[in-house]
Amino acid sequence: MSQNLNKENTPRKGRAWTELTINLRNRSSVPPSFDSVNRMRIVEIIEAKKENFTVKTFTFVDKLCGKADPGQFVMVWIPGVDEIPMSLSAITSEGLSSITVNEVGEASRALNQKKKGDQIGVRGPFGNGFVPTGGNVMIVGGGTGLAPLMPLTEKLVKVADKVTLMGGAKSRDNLLFLDRIDKILSEVDSETVFTTEDGSYGIECLVVDQAEQKLKKEKFDMIFTCGPEQMMYNMFLLAEQYNVPLQASLERIMRCAIGLCGSCQIGKLRVCKDGPVLNSEQLRSVKEEFGKFQLDFTGKKIKL
Ligand SMILES: Cc1cc2nc3c(=O)[nH]c(=O)nc-3n(C[C@H](O)[C@H](O)[C@H](O)COP(=O)(O)OP(=O)(O)OC[C@H]3O[C@@H](n4cnc5c(N)ncnc54)[C@H](O)[C@@H]3O)c2cc1C
Ligand code: FES
């Protein structure tokens, strides 16, 4: 739409059109057009912060990312290497945004070698993010899965009665955003529980086990989760058992990010377009595959 709203493009459309154009320009609620969202923008890295041995957070300015919902993702182009999906780990209305990248292969390694002043490309934000809800809410994050849960928590503290955040990781080094979580939750009714598999921080167990203990004692209105798929699948089973609705952010191989290529298919859903955040009803509809299978880079169904 923004392309059509350029004055140069509308000389023969008359006054009514011009007025409509000006009105639309002045309305902040006008959604960004699909064209502009899907167009690659080159952004400069204004901060590259090392979180631990394999994880870095990159901050950049992009107006469209500033309008994203928590849980939406961008396709990040690493020049000469690849384009990979990344959740936004910070979203501000001024457009100051960030991604938090865990090195797992060629593209994420190349991305993590970028420094302040380097350039990357971004397309997006894409997909459906988390829907913040009121009441008593639980957030369960595993490892880098805490990234999209950070902007969500910032929204939840404004609408929920109580926020319980549970973060789990293999060890203390892999637990991200501890100071940021502290700061976000400091002024609201909240509780935090951290777990590590090696006992180097918090309680020595899997985060799902602590979530179950909480669910036994308290009634929650919504569970939000992101992390390894097996962890999210176990959270889904618990949520079903305790009759609590759940929203989970899934990962699949992504190429187009706009619902065309099918590489992110799960059951009848496309994770890039129907997700990445799927609710309980959607997860029930794909329960033959959720936590069990995904498509590989050739489109073959493989065990997770
Ligand atoms: C919606 C979404 C949001 C994501 N958000 C984050 C994030 O915030 N931080 C983060 O560190 N990672 C995130 N990821 C995962 C990230 O995209 C992959 O780790 C990355 O693409 C790996 O690329 P690579 O070349 O480094 O590794 P590869 O050598 O390609 O693969 C290494 C491993 O990662 C898996 N993988 C590879 N590509 C993808 C892909 N496109 N989607 C899912 N899994 C893949 C492979 O199965 C393999 O096990 C997200 C993925 C999705 C789909
Ligand atoms: S990434 Fe192409 S359909 Fe989802």
PDB file of all heavy atoms in Angstrom, residues 64-100:
ATOM      1  N   LEU A  64       9.852  -1.487  10.792  1.00  0.00           N
ATOM      2  CA  LEU A  64       8.851  -2.556  10.729  1.00  0.00           C
ATOM      3  C   LEU A  64       9.010  -3.544  11.887  1.00  0.00           C
ATOM      4  O   LEU A  64       8.022  -4.021  12.437  1.00  0.00           O
ATOM      5  CB  LEU A  64       8.932  -3.289   9.386  1.00  0.00           C
ATOM      6  CG  LEU A  64       8.465  -2.470   8.179  1.00  0.00           C
ATOM      7  CD1 LEU A  64       8.697  -3.244   6.897  1.00  0.00           C
ATOM      8  CD2 LEU A  64       6.986  -2.117   8.314  1.00  0.00           C
ATOM      9  N   CYS A  65      10.233  -3.823  12.264  1.00  0.00           N
ATOM     10  CA  CYS A  65      10.449  -4.713  13.417  1.00  0.00           C
ATOM     11  C   CYS A  65       9.896  -4.055  14.685  1.00  0.00           C
ATOM     12  O   CYS A  65       9.416  -4.748  15.587  1.00  0.00           O
ATOM     13  CB  CYS A  65      11.928  -5.042  13.585  1.00  0.00           C
ATOM     14  SG  CYS A  65      12.523  -6.170  12.310  1.00  0.00           S
ATOM     15  N   GLY A  66       9.939  -2.734  14.733  1.00  0.00           N
ATOM     16  CA  GLY A  66       9.400  -2.007  15.886  1.00  0.00           C
ATOM     17  C   GLY A  66       7.890  -2.181  16.025  1.00  0.00           C
ATOM     18  O   GLY A  66       7.320  -1.927  17.085  1.00  0.00           O
ATOM     19  N   LYS A  67       7.232  -2.620  14.940  1.00  0.00           N
ATOM     20  CA  LYS A  67       5.774  -2.829  14.987  1.00  0.00           C
ATOM     21  C   LYS A  67       5.420  -4.298  15.195  1.00  0.00           C
ATOM     22  O   LYS A  67       4.250  -4.669  15.135  1.00  0.00           O
ATOM     23  CB  LYS A  67       5.151  -2.359  13.669  1.00  0.00           C
ATOM     24  CG  LYS A  67       5.240  -0.859  13.487  1.00  0.00           C
ATOM     25  CD  LYS A  67       4.527  -0.441  12.230  1.00  0.00           C
ATOM     26  CE  LYS A  67       4.591   1.068  12.106  1.00  0.00           C
ATOM     27  NZ  LYS A  67       4.655   1.568  10.789  1.00  0.00           N
ATOM     28  N   ALA A  68       6.435  -5.137  15.397  1.00  0.00           N
ATOM     29  CA  ALA A  68       6.191  -6.590  15.493  1.00  0.00           C
ATOM     30  C   ALA A  68       5.470  -6.954  16.788  1.00  0.00           C
ATOM     31  O   ALA A  68       5.546  -6.240  17.789  1.00  0.00           O
ATOM     32  CB  ALA A  68       7.519  -7.339  15.423  1.00  0.00           C
ATOM     33  N   ASP A  69       4.782  -8.102  16.734  1.00  0.00           N
ATOM     34  CA  ASP A  69       4.221  -8.684  17.962  1.00  0.00           C
ATOM     35  C   ASP A  69       5.275  -9.640  18.533  1.00  0.00           C
ATOM     36  O   ASP A  69       5.987 -10.306  17.766  1.00  0.00           O
ATOM     37  CB  ASP A  69       2.970  -9.520  17.638  1.00  0.00           C
ATOM     38  CG  ASP A  69       1.831  -8.653  17.147  1.00  0.00           C
ATOM     39  OD1 ASP A  69       1.708  -7.511  17.633  1.00  0.00           O
ATOM     40  OD2 ASP A  69       1.085  -9.121  16.257  1.00  0.00           O
ATOM     41  N   PRO A  70       5.328  -9.760  19.877  1.00  0.00           N
ATOM     42  CA  PRO A  70       6.261 -10.737  20.462  1.00  0.00           C
ATOM     43  C   PRO A  70       5.984 -12.122  19.877  1.00  0.00           C
ATOM     44  O   PRO A  70       4.825 -12.525  19.766  1.00  0.00           O
ATOM     45  CB  PRO A  70       5.908 -10.709  21.951  1.00  0.00           C
ATOM     46  CG  PRO A  70       5.236  -9.403  22.173  1.00  0.00           C
ATOM     47  CD  PRO A  70       4.553  -9.045  20.896  1.00  0.00           C
ATOM     48  N   GLY A  71       7.062 -12.812  19.483  1.00  0.00           N
ATOM     49  CA  GLY A  71       6.888 -14.153  18.904  1.00  0.00           C
ATOM     50  C   GLY A  71       6.976 -14.150  17.387  1.00  0.00           C
ATOM     51  O   GLY A  71       7.160 -15.197  16.774  1.00  0.00           O
ATOM     52  N   GLN A  72       6.838 -12.972  16.770  1.00  0.00           N
ATOM     53  CA  GLN A  72       7.030 -12.916  15.316  1.00  0.00           C
ATOM     54  C   GLN A  72       8.525 -13.045  15.022  1.00  0.00           C
ATOM     55  O   GLN A  72       9.370 -12.804  15.894  1.00  0.00           O
ATOM     56  CB  GLN A  72       6.508 -11.598  14.758  1.00  0.00           C
ATOM     57  CG  GLN A  72       4.988 -11.579  14.606  1.00  0.00           C
ATOM     58  CD  GLN A  72       4.536 -10.408  13.738  1.00  0.00           C
ATOM     59  OE1 GLN A  72       4.726  -9.254  14.108  1.00  0.00           O
ATOM     60  NE2 GLN A  72       3.957 -10.719  12.604  1.00  0.00           N
ATOM     61  N   PHE A  73       8.860 -13.405  13.785  1.00  0.00           N
ATOM     62  CA  PHE A  73      10.273 -13.624  13.451  1.00  0.00           C
ATOM     63  C   PHE A  73      10.660 -12.868  12.191  1.00  0.00           C
ATOM     64  O   PHE A  73       9.785 -12.421  11.436  1.00  0.00           O
ATOM     65  CB  PHE A  73      10.548 -15.124  13.278  1.00  0.00           C
ATOM     66  CG  PHE A  73       9.899 -15.728  12.052  1.00  0.00           C
ATOM     67  CD1 PHE A  73      10.616 -15.909  10.879  1.00  0.00           C
ATOM     68  CD2 PHE A  73       8.567 -16.109  12.069  1.00  0.00           C
ATOM     69  CE1 PHE A  73      10.020 -16.460   9.751  1.00  0.00           C
ATOM     70  CE2 PHE A  73       7.959 -16.657  10.945  1.00  0.00           C
ATOM     71  CZ  PHE A  73       8.691 -16.836   9.778  1.00  0.00           C
ATOM     72  N   VAL A  74      11.976 -12.735  12.007  1.00  0.00           N
ATOM     73  CA  VAL A  74      12.490 -12.118  10.775  1.00  0.00           C
ATOM     74  C   VAL A  74      13.376 -13.136  10.056  1.00  0.00           C
ATOM     75  O   VAL A  74      13.915 -14.052  10.683  1.00  0.00           O
ATOM     76  CB  VAL A  74      13.328 -10.835  11.059  1.00  0.00           C
ATOM     77  CG1 VAL A  74      12.439  -9.667  11.387  1.00  0.00           C
ATOM     78  CG2 VAL A  74      14.354 -11.051  12.165  1.00  0.00           C
ATOM     79  N   MET A  75      13.491 -12.990   8.753  1.00  0.00           N
ATOM     80  CA  MET A  75      14.476 -13.754   8.000  1.00  0.00           C
ATOM     81  C   MET A  75      15.714 -12.875   7.923  1.00  0.00           C
ATOM     82  O   MET A  75      15.647 -11.730   7.463  1.00  0.00           O
ATOM     83  CB  MET A  75      13.961 -14.084   6.593  1.00  0.00           C
ATOM     84  CG  MET A  75      12.800 -15.069   6.574  1.00  0.00           C
ATOM     85  SD  MET A  75      13.154 -16.697   7.311  1.00  0.00           S
ATOM     86  CE  MET A  75      14.235 -17.451   6.105  1.00  0.00           C
ATOM     87  N   VAL A  76      16.835 -13.404   8.425  1.00  0.00           N
ATOM     88  CA  VAL A  76      18.066 -12.616   8.499  1.00  0.00           C
ATOM     89  C   VAL A  76      19.023 -13.094   7.407  1.00  0.00           C
ATOM     90  O   VAL A  76      19.354 -14.290   7.338  1.00  0.00           O
ATOM     91  CB  VAL A  76      18.731 -12.785   9.881  1.00  0.00           C
ATOM     92  CG1 VAL A  76      20.022 -11.980   9.956  1.00  0.00           C
ATOM     93  CG2 VAL A  76      17.772 -12.355  10.982  1.00  0.00           C
ATOM     94  N   TRP A  77      19.410 -12.164   6.556  1.00  0.00           N
ATOM     95  CA  TRP A  77      20.342 -12.483   5.467  1.00  0.00           C
ATOM     96  C   TRP A  77      21.762 -12.169   5.915  1.00  0.00           C
ATOM     97  O   TRP A  77      22.046 -11.040   6.330  1.00  0.00           O
ATOM     98  CB  TRP A  77      19.978 -11.672   4.221  1.00  0.00           C
ATOM     99  CG  TRP A  77      20.927 -11.872   3.070  1.00  0.00           C
ATOM    100  CD1 TRP A  77      21.281 -13.047   2.490  1.00  0.00           C
ATOM    101  CD2 TRP A  77      21.642 -10.846   2.369  1.00  0.00           C
ATOM    102  NE1 TRP A  77      22.165 -12.829   1.462  1.00  0.00           N
ATOM    103  CE2 TRP A  77      22.406 -11.484   1.373  1.00  0.00           C
ATOM    104  CE3 TRP A  77      21.707  -9.456   2.483  1.00  0.00           C
ATOM    105  CZ2 TRP A  77      23.227 -10.782   0.503  1.00  0.00           C
ATOM    106  CZ3 TRP A  77      22.520  -8.757   1.607  1.00  0.00           C
ATOM    107  CH2 TRP A  77      23.272  -9.419   0.630  1.00  0.00           C
ATOM    108  N   ILE A  78      22.593 -13.201   5.848  1.00  0.00           N
ATOM    109  CA  ILE A  78      24.018 -13.026   6.155  1.00  0.00           C
ATOM    110  C   ILE A  78      24.702 -13.025   4.787  1.00  0.00           C
ATOM    111  O   ILE A  78      24.800 -14.072   4.134  1.00  0.00           O
ATOM    112  CB  ILE A  78      24.549 -14.176   7.049  1.00  0.00           C
ATOM    113  CG1 ILE A  78      23.652 -14.322   8.289  1.00  0.00           C
ATOM    114  CG2 ILE A  78      25.984 -13.924   7.484  1.00  0.00           C
ATOM    115  CD1 ILE A  78      22.872 -15.592   8.334  1.00  0.00           C
ATOM    116  N   PRO A  79      25.139 -11.840   4.317  1.00  0.00           N
ATOM    117  CA  PRO A  79      25.641 -11.735   2.935  1.00  0.00           C
ATOM    118  C   PRO A  79      26.670 -12.808   2.604  1.00  0.00           C
ATOM    119  O   PRO A  79      27.601 -13.051   3.367  1.00  0.00           O
ATOM    120  CB  PRO A  79      26.264 -10.327   2.896  1.00  0.00           C
ATOM    121  CG  PRO A  79      25.503  -9.560   3.934  1.00  0.00           C
ATOM    122  CD  PRO A  79      25.208 -10.554   5.027  1.00  0.00           C
ATOM    123  N   GLY A  80      26.430 -13.480   1.464  1.00  0.00           N
ATOM    124  CA  GLY A  80      27.373 -14.493   0.982  1.00  0.00           C
ATOM    125  C   GLY A  80      27.227 -15.838   1.679  1.00  0.00           C
ATOM    126  O   GLY A  80      27.944 -16.782   1.346  1.00  0.00           O
ATOM    127  N   VAL A  81      26.321 -15.950   2.634  1.00  0.00           N
ATOM    128  CA  VAL A  81      26.212 -17.211   3.389  1.00  0.00           C
ATOM    129  C   VAL A  81      24.813 -17.832   3.252  1.00  0.00           C
ATOM    130  O   VAL A  81      24.634 -18.849   2.586  1.00  0.00           O
ATOM    131  CB  VAL A  81      26.568 -17.017   4.890  1.00  0.00           C
ATOM    132  CG1 VAL A  81      26.570 -18.362   5.619  1.00  0.00           C
ATOM    133  CG2 VAL A  81      27.929 -16.343   5.051  1.00  0.00           C
ATOM    134  N   ASP A  82      23.805 -17.218   3.843  1.00  0.00           N
ATOM    135  CA  ASP A  82      22.463 -17.827   3.857  1.00  0.00           C
ATOM    136  C   ASP A  82      21.467 -16.831   4.448  1.00  0.00           C
ATOM    137  O   ASP A  82      21.854 -15.741   4.911  1.00  0.00           O
ATOM    138  CB  ASP A  82      22.488 -19.093   4.734  1.00  0.00           C
ATOM    139  CG  ASP A  82      21.402 -20.098   4.376  1.00  0.00           C
ATOM    140  OD1 ASP A  82      20.483 -19.727   3.619  1.00  0.00           O
ATOM    141  OD2 ASP A  82      21.471 -21.242   4.856  1.00  0.00           O
ATOM    142  N   GLU A  83      20.220 -17.256   4.454  1.00  0.00           N
ATOM    143  CA  GLU A  83      19.168 -16.475   5.108  1.00  0.00           C
ATOM    144  C   GLU A  83      18.476 -17.401   6.107  1.00  0.00           C
ATOM    145  O   GLU A  83      18.049 -18.495   5.730  1.00  0.00           O
ATOM    146  CB  GLU A  83      18.167 -15.990   4.054  1.00  0.00           C
ATOM    147  CG  GLU A  83      17.239 -14.914   4.562  1.00  0.00           C
ATOM    148  CD  GLU A  83      16.085 -14.626   3.620  1.00  0.00           C
ATOM    149  OE1 GLU A  83      15.688 -15.517   2.848  1.00  0.00           O
ATOM    150  OE2 GLU A  83      15.549 -13.516   3.680  1.00  0.00           O
ATOM    151  N   ILE A  84      18.389 -16.997   7.379  1.00  0.00           N
ATOM    152  CA  ILE A  84      17.840 -17.901   8.399  1.00  0.00           C
ATOM    153  C   ILE A  84      16.795 -17.176   9.271  1.00  0.00           C
ATOM    154  O   ILE A  84      16.873 -15.967   9.480  1.00  0.00           O
ATOM    155  CB  ILE A  84      18.951 -18.510   9.313  1.00  0.00           C
ATOM    156  CG1 ILE A  84      19.836 -17.417   9.933  1.00  0.00           C
ATOM    157  CG2 ILE A  84      19.775 -19.517   8.561  1.00  0.00           C
ATOM    158  CD1 ILE A  84      20.823 -17.945  10.975  1.00  0.00           C
ATOM    159  N   PRO A  85      15.809 -17.954   9.785  1.00  0.00           N
ATOM    160  CA  PRO A  85      14.778 -17.331  10.630  1.00  0.00           C
ATOM    161  C   PRO A  85      15.278 -17.068  12.048  1.00  0.00           C
ATOM    162  O   PRO A  85      15.979 -17.907  12.617  1.00  0.00           O
ATOM    163  CB  PRO A  85      13.657 -18.382  10.645  1.00  0.00           C
ATOM    164  CG  PRO A  85      14.311 -19.681  10.340  1.00  0.00           C
ATOM    165  CD  PRO A  85      15.569 -19.404   9.575  1.00  0.00           C
ATOM    166  N   MET A  86      14.929 -15.917  12.590  1.00  0.00           N
ATOM    167  CA  MET A  86      15.301 -15.539  13.956  1.00  0.00           C
ATOM    168  C   MET A  86      14.141 -14.799  14.615  1.00  0.00           C
ATOM    169  O   MET A  86      13.578 -13.873  14.014  1.00  0.00           O
ATOM    170  CB  MET A  86      16.506 -14.576  13.957  1.00  0.00           C
ATOM    171  CG  MET A  86      17.828 -15.230  13.687  1.00  0.00           C
ATOM    172  SD  MET A  86      18.405 -16.167  15.112  1.00  0.00           S
ATOM    173  CE  MET A  86      19.220 -17.513  14.277  1.00  0.00           C
ATOM    174  N   SER A  87      13.822 -15.166  15.833  1.00  0.00           N
ATOM    175  CA  SER A  87      12.796 -14.428  16.585  1.00  0.00           C
ATOM    176  C   SER A  87      13.357 -13.088  17.015  1.00  0.00           C
ATOM    177  O   SER A  87      14.569 -12.958  17.212  1.00  0.00           O
ATOM    178  CB  SER A  87      12.429 -15.191  17.854  1.00  0.00           C
ATOM    179  OG  SER A  87      12.053 -16.488  17.543  1.00  0.00           O
ATOM    180  N   LEU A  88      12.472 -12.121  17.208  1.00  0.00           N
ATOM    181  CA  LEU A  88      12.929 -10.829  17.742  1.00  0.00           C
ATOM    182  C   LEU A  88      13.003 -10.954  19.261  1.00  0.00           C
ATOM    183  O   LEU A  88      12.021 -11.322  19.911  1.00  0.00           O
ATOM    184  CB  LEU A  88      11.961  -9.721  17.328  1.00  0.00           C
ATOM    185  CG  LEU A  88      12.023  -9.371  15.833  1.00  0.00           C
ATOM    186  CD1 LEU A  88      10.816  -8.546  15.412  1.00  0.00           C
ATOM    187  CD2 LEU A  88      13.326  -8.640  15.492  1.00  0.00           C
ATOM    188  N   SER A  89      14.175 -10.644  19.809  1.00  0.00           N
ATOM    189  CA  SER A  89      14.327 -10.740  21.268  1.00  0.00           C
ATOM    190  C   SER A  89      14.123  -9.387  21.948  1.00  0.00           C
ATOM    191  O   SER A  89      14.073  -9.315  23.176  1.00  0.00           O
ATOM    192  CB  SER A  89      15.694 -11.319  21.636  1.00  0.00           C
ATOM    193  OG  SER A  89      16.735 -10.549  21.088  1.00  0.00           O
ATOM    194  N   ALA A  90      14.053  -8.319  21.154  1.00  0.00           N
ATOM    195  CA  ALA A  90      13.654  -7.001  21.693  1.00  0.00           C
ATOM    196  C   ALA A  90      12.858  -6.287  20.615  1.00  0.00           C
ATOM    197  O   ALA A  90      13.179  -6.381  19.421  1.00  0.00           O
ATOM    198  CB  ALA A  90      14.867  -6.169  22.087  1.00  0.00           C
ATOM    199  N   ILE A  91      11.807  -5.599  21.044  1.00  0.00           N
ATOM    200  CA  ILE A  91      10.946  -4.848  20.126  1.00  0.00           C
ATOM    201  C   ILE A  91      10.619  -3.530  20.814  1.00  0.00           C
ATOM    202  O   ILE A  91      10.093  -3.541  21.929  1.00  0.00           O
ATOM    203  CB  ILE A  91       9.620  -5.615  19.860  1.00  0.00           C
ATOM    204  CG1 ILE A  91       9.886  -7.011  19.285  1.00  0.00           C
ATOM    205  CG2 ILE A  91       8.693  -4.810  18.951  1.00  0.00           C
ATOM    206  CD1 ILE A  91       8.670  -7.934  19.269  1.00  0.00           C
ATOM    207  N   THR A  92      10.979  -2.409  20.194  1.00  0.00           N
ATOM    208  CA  THR A  92      10.587  -1.122  20.787  1.00  0.00           C
ATOM    209  C   THR A  92       9.896  -0.285  19.722  1.00  0.00           C
ATOM    210  O   THR A  92      10.196  -0.427  18.529  1.00  0.00           O
ATOM    211  CB  THR A  92      11.801  -0.319  21.309  1.00  0.00           C
ATOM    212  OG1 THR A  92      12.594   0.072  20.180  1.00  0.00           O
ATOM    213  CG2 THR A  92      12.654  -1.116  22.276  1.00  0.00           C
ATOM    214  N   SER A  93       8.996   0.596  20.166  1.00  0.00           N
ATOM    215  CA  SER A  93       8.222   1.380  19.198  1.00  0.00           C
ATOM    216  C   SER A  93       9.128   2.311  18.388  1.00  0.00           C
ATOM    217  O   SER A  93       8.776   2.732  17.294  1.00  0.00           O
ATOM    218  CB  SER A  93       7.127   2.164  19.915  1.00  0.00           C
ATOM    219  OG  SER A  93       7.702   2.853  20.994  1.00  0.00           O
ATOM    220  N   GLU A  94      10.324   2.608  18.902  1.00  0.00           N
ATOM    221  CA  GLU A  94      11.258   3.465  18.135  1.00  0.00           C
ATOM    222  C   GLU A  94      11.969   2.652  17.057  1.00  0.00           C
ATOM    223  O   GLU A  94      12.746   3.221  16.274  1.00  0.00           O
ATOM    224  CB  GLU A  94      12.327   4.078  19.048  1.00  0.00           C
ATOM    225  CG  GLU A  94      11.823   4.912  20.212  1.00  0.00           C
ATOM    226  CD  GLU A  94      11.364   4.049  21.382  1.00  0.00           C
ATOM    227  OE1 GLU A  94      12.025   3.040  21.675  1.00  0.00           O
ATOM    228  OE2 GLU A  94      10.321   4.370  21.971  1.00  0.00           O
ATOM    229  N   GLY A  95      11.755   1.351  17.030  1.00  0.00           N
ATOM    230  CA  GLY A  95      12.375   0.527  15.999  1.00  0.00           C
ATOM    231  C   GLY A  95      13.659  -0.147  16.448  1.00  0.00           C
ATOM    232  O   GLY A  95      14.256  -0.932  15.703  1.00  0.00           O
ATOM    233  N   LEU A  96      14.098   0.142  17.679  1.00  0.00           N
ATOM    234  CA  LEU A  96      15.293  -0.521  18.206  1.00  0.00           C
ATOM    235  C   LEU A  96      14.927  -1.988  18.462  1.00  0.00           C
ATOM    236  O   LEU A  96      14.041  -2.271  19.268  1.00  0.00           O
ATOM    237  CB  LEU A  96      15.701   0.167  19.511  1.00  0.00           C
ATOM    238  CG  LEU A  96      17.147   0.019  19.963  1.00  0.00           C
ATOM    239  CD1 LEU A  96      18.103   0.611  18.943  1.00  0.00           C
ATOM    240  CD2 LEU A  96      17.341   0.703  21.309  1.00  0.00           C
ATOM    241  N   SER A  97      15.584  -2.888  17.748  1.00  0.00           N
ATOM    242  CA  SER A  97      15.191  -4.300  17.788  1.00  0.00           C
ATOM    243  C   SER A  97      16.417  -5.168  17.969  1.00  0.00           C
ATOM    244  O   SER A  97      17.533  -4.732  17.688  1.00  0.00           O
ATOM    245  CB  SER A  97      14.532  -4.694  16.462  1.00  0.00           C
ATOM    246  OG  SER A  97      13.592  -3.735  16.074  1.00  0.00           O
ATOM    247  N   SER A  98      16.194  -6.415  18.401  1.00  0.00           N
ATOM    248  CA  SER A  98      17.353  -7.300  18.485  1.00  0.00           C
ATOM    249  C   SER A  98      16.979  -8.741  18.169  1.00  0.00           C
ATOM    250  O   SER A  98      15.811  -9.130  18.231  1.00  0.00           O
ATOM    251  CB  SER A  98      18.016  -7.208  19.862  1.00  0.00           C
ATOM    252  OG  SER A  98      17.235  -7.859  20.831  1.00  0.00           O
ATOM    253  N   ILE A  99      18.021  -9.490  17.785  1.00  0.00           N
ATOM    254  CA  ILE A  99      17.894 -10.944  17.629  1.00  0.00           C
ATOM    255  C   ILE A  99      18.967 -11.573  18.522  1.00  0.00           C
ATOM    256  O   ILE A  99      20.022 -10.971  18.740  1.00  0.00           O
ATOM    257  CB  ILE A  99      18.096 -11.388  16.164  1.00  0.00           C
ATOM    258  CG1 ILE A  99      19.384 -10.784  15.577  1.00  0.00           C
ATOM    259  CG2 ILE A  99      16.884 -11.037  15.312  1.00  0.00           C
ATOM    260  CD1 ILE A  99      19.782 -11.360  14.236  1.00  0.00           C
ATOM    261  N   THR A 100      18.681 -12.772  19.035  1.00  0.00           N
ATOM    262  CA  THR A 100      19.646 -13.450  19.909  1.00  0.00           C
ATOM    263  C   THR A 100      19.975 -14.790  19.267  1.00  0.00           C
ATOM    264  O   THR A 100      19.091 -15.633  19.103  1.00  0.00           O
ATOM    265  CB  THR A 100      19.052 -13.606  21.320  1.00  0.00           C
ATOM    266  OG1 THR A 100      18.823 -12.282  21.835  1.00  0.00           O
ATOM    267  CG2 THR A 100      19.990 -14.343  22.252  1.00  0.00           C
TER     268      THR A 100
END
